[in-house]
Amino acid sequence: MSKSTLASAVDARRAHVEALLGAYPDVTLQEREIIVNWFRNEASALDVALVASNPAAERGYRRFRAEHIDRFTPKDMAKALGFALIVAMAVLLIAWRAL
């Protein structure tokens, strides 16, 4: 696949996602999964910025991000708890050694 063909495919995929976001929340489960997959696995920072700056997709984009991308998941909370425990253990170890 040449660069121009690949770029065209990326542009077409972004345009499809923008169209779906323009209709959001009135999309099917399959269409919602297309959007989620695109944001999590395919979109570059530039792609996200281009979608975010598209006035036609703005309302759906903001709502979709709030409902599916920007929320804390149980996995995120577990990571935060694990990090906090490691920091607490390090602080206790340092305090114990200082005694």
Side-chain angles (χ1 to χ4, degrees), residues 79-92:
K79 286 179 183 178
L81 179 61
F83 178 75
L85 287 174
I86 290 170
V87 169
M89 289 174 33
V91 168
L92 288 174

Side-chain angles (χ1 to χ4, degrees), residues 7-94:
S8 295
V10 169
D11 291 343
R13 183 73 163 164
R14 187 179 60 247
H16 182 226
V17 169
E18 286 176 339
L20 292 175
L21 287 170
Y24 190 84
D26 300 322
V27 295
T28 66
L29 287 175
Q30 291 82 12
E31 291 170 332
R32 189 182 77 213
E33 287 304 313
I34 288 170
I35 301 170
V36 169
N37 183 58
W38 184 80
F39 271 99
R40 291 190 179 152
N41 301 318
E42 298 175 34
S44 67
L46 177 61
D47 289 328
V48 173
L50 289 170
V51 169
S53 65
N54 181 343
E58 182 179 2
R59 183 185 62 82
Y61 168 76
R62 288 178 190 239
R63 184 167 176 182
F64 176 81
R65 291 257 339 185
E67 292 175 1
H68 298 284
I69 303 298
D70 296 335
R71 297 176 75 186
F72 284 115
T73 64
K75 185 177 178 182
D76 295 331
M77 298 304 273
K79 286 179 183 178
L81 179 61
F83 178 75
L85 287 174
I86 290 170
V87 169
M89 289 174 33
V91 168
L92 288 174
L93 181 62
I94 291 169

